[in-house]
Amino acid sequence: MTPLDFFKALSDETRLNLLVLIHQLNEVCVCELTSALELSQPKISRHLAILREAKLISARRKGKWVYYRLSLALSPWHTATIEHAASAEQHKIHMKKLLSVKQEQCC
């Protein structure tokens, strides 16, 4: 993946937020992401599909739920860039929401 393709995939705020949250928790369910970002499931799923097409994330199905994680094919440069983005204050707010959702076990 070229740097241009990487940044194009992250040019949308929702996709950037999704990628950061997935990175921080290693594996996340769609229902957790919808609660953390307070967005509809179709919108989250559409953006996750774009991240999957860009090969930034991978998915696994468990029953009716789909769990997402960062692609193992990401280079250290990609991971470092995502980690740097995760240090932004707005991502810390989303992370707090996601952790509260994880405690409730929505899926």
Side-chain angles (χ1 to χ4, degrees), residues 43-55:
K43 183 172 184 172
I44 295 289
S45 292
R46 180 171 43 91
H47 287 289
L48 288 169
I50 293 169
L51 292 173
R52 282 177 67 186
E53 289 172 14
K55 299 190 183 349

Side-chain angles (χ1 to χ4, degrees), residues 67-87:
Y67 293 86
Y68 293 89
R69 62 182 14 219
L70 287 184
S71 170
L72 297 176
L74 291 180
S75 73
W77 177 84
H78 293 113
T79 305
T81 303
I82 296 165
E83 287 172 359
H84 184 70
S87 67

Side-chain angles (χ1 to χ4, degrees), residues 10-100:
L10 299 181
S11 66
D12 180 88
E13 182 179 5
T14 299
R15 289 193 295 273
L16 178 60
N17 289 335
L18 289 169
L19 196 63
V20 166
L21 290 173
I22 292 167
H23 166 70
Q24 290 176 324
L25 288 176
N26 295 323
E27 188 172 70
V28 185
C29 179
V30 173
C31 70
E32 295 166 332
L33 294 168
T34 58
S35 295
L37 296 178
E38 298 176 344
L39 296 171
S40 69
Q41 182 273 325
K43 183 172 184 172
I44 295 289
S45 292
R46 180 171 43 91
H47 287 289
L48 288 169
I50 293 169
L51 292 173
R52 282 177 67 186
E53 289 172 14
K55 299 190 183 349
L56 293 173
I57 61 173
S58 61
R60 75 173 177 90
R61 181 172 292 280
K62 184 177 179 183
K64 68 177 185 173
W65 303 107
V66 179
Y67 293 86
Y68 293 89
R69 62 182 14 219
L70 287 184
S71 170
L72 297 176
L74 291 180
S75 73
W77 177 84
H78 293 113
T79 305
T81 303
I82 296 165
E83 287 172 359
H84 184 70
S87 67
E89 194 62 35
Q90 78 183 54
H91 298 297
K92 293 175 185 174
I93 294 168
H94 294 308
M95 187 63 179
K96 286 179 186 175
K97 289 180 188 174
L98 184 56
L99 289 174
S100 70

